[in-house]
Amino acid sequence: MGGGPRAGGGVVAHPAAGDHDPVLLVSSVSRSYGRQRVLTDVNLGVRPGELVGVVGENGAGKTTLLRILAGQLRPDGGTVRVRGSLGYCPQQAVVNEALTVGQHLRLFQVAYRLQNDHRARELAERLGLTRYERVPAGVLSGGNQQKLNLVLALMHDPAVVLLDEPYQGFDWETYLRFWDLADDLRARGRAILVISHLAHDIERLDRLHRLRAGALRGPGTEDRR
Amino acid sequence: MRTAGTVAWLTLYELSRNRLAMLLLLVFIPVWISLAHLVFSPVPLDFTHRSTGTLLQVSGRELTMISGSLNAVTLLMGFLMFSATRRARMFDRRLTDAGCPRRALLLAKLVALTVGSLLVAGWATLVMLAYWDVRQPWLLYLALVVSGLIYGGIGIVLGVFLPDDLEGMFTIIMVSIIDLALQNPIANPAADAALIVYLPNYGPMQLGVAAGFTDLVPRAPLLNSLAWCVGCGLVGLVVFHLRTRRHHSAEGPSGTRQQGWSDPVRP
């Protein structure tokens, strides 16, 4: 299976490796849970420097799609290709409650095999997390756990960033700082796919896709630039 | 090596932060062994020591201390490793996605299991020695260490499947009760059925009795315990491998860009 890219749904024509060609290419992806078909035919391409949103009703399959893109779930059909490194920020903060913020950064620095933690420190500083360096993740507020979740996804400066409702629990200031950070990533040529609340974020996206009936389509699939 | 060292150190740190396990270690083990010493009668009992083919006359009190200490060590190590594995399920997945080698995570769990078993068994042995002049203290220590290793391994396997601490604790308690009650002549006067050799604590119980009441070092229970350790290790290895596999690889070493496309993920 897998088929080539098709028209509609924000699809990219071909996977050439130029600067403006997509670094994330999704072709005809489908996925079912038992008899329930969650994704039927998802096609999507995201180029460097693009900030693309996916919206959909509860249970539409947004998180399933993102987990497939992150390589955590195998699709029943179709292909996913990623060019460069990948950063995935899951909806629920995936942290170790016993470890402090500083220990998380050290652990992921060795996991990503980074020479230094400069980028991680910069992100922690921008999101206001530095003061909690010695605090175990288990006693952080939900918002601060989410900040740590985001820092862990971005600290290796990935080429493709997948964000699943990344600002849940953020206060207003942090929410604005998050979008500054997203703009910064976009300016640096990173490709960003974000599952987003339609009400607040639609004007911040380059393109918006609506996940409906298992596919990316509908009037929301317009180019906003 | 640096990755494995950091992961192992932080895994040990995480275990030490489990307050309930630390409370059980400090209170449960001495209380259980002390009560076994104070409450149970020293009336001699027949114990079928299968690994040496002898029928031993042993003190019911001291036999219960062996059984109780094995029970305490198994519960503690089972719970500790279950809890650590269950809580780390998603986190381990995230670490492997980030590029952390799975062998480093497995090694860290092995280090945690071994260090935990050595410490817990050491503490239980010291408490036992306060009440009883054991004939072979090092063999008793070995019995408790392998018991901790086996149940820690079972805890790791259960931690991959069961959703909450309650389910895990309940399962470990039930398995431990069946395991030790069937081997204790107070609960099961025959205690010599052939099926007993397949129980996880058969090896440690045989070693413990040999340590307490003989000058022998039987090999068969050591091999039996080793088989349980290897079996749990293999199941854990396979399950961990399946749970953390990636369906596409976006990069070589994390943080370094790969030229060209990753292999496409396909059904």
Side-chain angles (χ1 to χ4, degrees):
Chain A
M1 287 193 67
R6 299 182 214 157
V11 170
V12 174
H14 58 83
D19 282 351
H20 298 291
D21 293 318
V23 286
L24 173 66
L25 190 65
V26 185
S27 303
S28 306
V29 160
S30 61
R31 170 77 194 194
S32 300
Y33 293 107
R35 289 185 172 182
Q36 187 187 359
R37 298 197 72 187
V38 178
L39 304 176
T40 56
D41 184 24
V42 174
N43 296 280
L44 175 70
V46 185
R47 302 179 185 88
E50 268 194 315
L51 177 53
V52 175
V54 171
V55 294
E57 294 176 0
N58 293 336
K62 301 186 297 293
T63 295
T64 296
L65 174 61
L66 228 57
R67 288 194 64 207
I68 289 173
L69 302 188
Q72 292 191 352
L73 204 59
R74 183 180 286 277
D76 297 332
T79 59
V80 177
R81 306 187 86 178
V82 178
R83 185 154 55 93
S85 55
L86 182 76
Y88 172 47
C89 182
Q91 185 175 8
Q92 299 296 328
V94 177
V95 295
N96 187 320
E97 294 187 352
L99 303 184
T100 66
V101 170
Q103 286 169 332
H104 275 85
L105 300 187
R106 197 163 93 230
L107 187 55
F108 277 80
Q109 184 190 336
V110 296
Y112 286 127
R113 294 171 209 170
L114 303 176
Q115 294 297 316
N116 58 60
D117 63 354
H118 296 169
R119 178 66 176 158
R121 299 280 164 198
E122 181 198 336
L123 290 165
E125 180 75 39
R126 286 183 73 166
L127 291 169
L129 201 57
T130 309
R131 80 185 88 151
Y132 302 106
E133 171 148 359
R134 293 172 184 273
V135 177
V139 300
L140 291 175
S141 68
N144 283 325
Q145 283 193 4
Q146 194 60 22
K147 290 177 193 175
L148 177 59
N149 196 35
L150 185 61
V151 171
L152 298 182
L154 299 178
M155 61 186 280
H156 60 306
D157 201 14
V160 178
V161 182
L162 305 174
L163 306 172
D164 192 351
E165 302 277 10
Y167 33 72
Q168 275 189 16
F170 282 1
D171 54 46
W172 181 248
E173 280 299 314
T174 312
Y175 174 80
L176 295 177
R177 269 185 262 166
F178 163 77
W179 282 111
D180 286 344
L181 186 60
D183 287 339
D184 179 47
L185 289 171
R186 180 162 48 176
R188 291 153 60 98
R190 308 295 178 250
I192 309 164
L193 182 69
V194 57
I195 285 179
S196 169
H197 279 112
L198 183 63
H200 290 306
D201 313 324
I202 187 169
E203 73 283 357
R204 300 177 186 273
L205 305 170
D206 296 324
R207 280 188 290 130
L208 178 67
H209 296 267
R210 196 178 300 277
L211 185 60
R212 184 182 290 165
L216 292 175
R217 57 186 171 183
T221 309
E222 69 262 22
D223 194 330
R224 299 188 58 83
R225 279 207 284 207
Chain B
M1 193 63 200
R2 180 179 168 225
T3 307
T6 304
V7 175
W9 172 247
L10 290 176
T11 304
L12 280 174
Y13 174 83
E14 182 193 350
L15 285 189
S16 74
R17 305 296 293 179
N18 188 327
R19 289 181 185 173
L20 178 57
M22 289 305 116
L23 189 69
L24 289 174
L25 177 69
L26 293 175
V27 178
F28 179 62
I29 285 180
V31 166
W32 206 154
I33 293 172
S34 301
L35 285 176
H37 177 77
L38 294 171
V39 172
F40 279 85
S41 159
V43 171
L45 295 167
D46 289 340
F47 185 88
T48 307
H49 198 238
R50 298 179 69 92
S51 52
T52 54
T54 54
L55 185 66
L56 299 174
Q57 283 260 311
V58 300
S59 155
R61 172 187 287 163
E62 287 158 356
L63 185 66
T64 305
M65 282 172 64
I66 294 174
S67 181
S69 61
L70 286 174
N71 183 235
V73 170
T74 56
L75 290 181
L76 189 56
M77 284 308 298
F79 170 67
L80 197 60
M81 295 311 295
F82 167 80
S83 182
T85 306
R86 186 191 68 74
R87 290 179 191 183
R89 267 190 306 218
M90 297 296 290
F91 194 68
D92 283 349
R93 165 105 227 191
R94 188 165 198 179
L95 278 169
T96 54
D97 284 353
C100 183
R102 283 187 279 196
R103 63 179 177 278
L105 289 172
L106 285 168
L107 183 67
K109 291 196 192 311
L110 193 63
V111 168
L113 174 61
T114 306
V115 172
S117 296
L118 289 171
L119 292 175
V120 171
W123 172 234
T125 305
L126 285 176
V127 176
M128 292 266 280
L129 292 177
Y131 292 112
W132 177 24
D133 188 15
V134 179
R135 286 164 79 165
Q136 300 186 78
W138 284 105
L139 191 59
L140 177 66
Y141 177 55
L142 182 65
L144 293 170
V145 169
V146 293
S147 178
L149 289 173
I150 291 169
Y151 268 80
I154 291 173
I156 290 174
V157 173
L158 291 176
V160 176
F161 295 108
L162 297 179
D164 283 312
D165 279 353
L166 184 64
E167 282 93 335
M169 198 66 190
F170 193 75
T171 306
I172 290 165
I173 289 171
M174 295 304 289
V175 173
S176 173
I177 286 174
I178 292 169
D179 185 4
L180 287 165
L182 289 178
Q183 298 184 67
N184 191 329
I186 295 172
N188 175 15
D192 61 351
L195 276 178
I196 280 177
V197 299
Y198 299 109
L199 295 171
N201 258 329
Y202 168 77
M205 189 71 180
Q206 292 283 312
L207 289 172
V209 170
F213 306 106
T214 77
D215 296 317
L216 303 170
V217 182
R219 284 187 190 172
L222 267 176
L223 294 174
N224 181 297
S225 301
L226 186 66
W228 267 99
C229 291
V230 171
C232 290
L234 283 177
V235 172
L237 196 73
V238 170
V239 170
F240 186 78
H241 178 80
L242 292 175
R243 289 289 175 115
T244 54
R245 67 185 161 172
R246 285 185 61 76
H247 297 293
H248 65 74
S249 171
E251 49 199 307
S254 290
T256 58
R257 299 279 154 61
Q258 176 181 304
Q259 296 300 311
W261 292 95
S262 64
D263 292 333
V265 56
R266 294 182 190 281

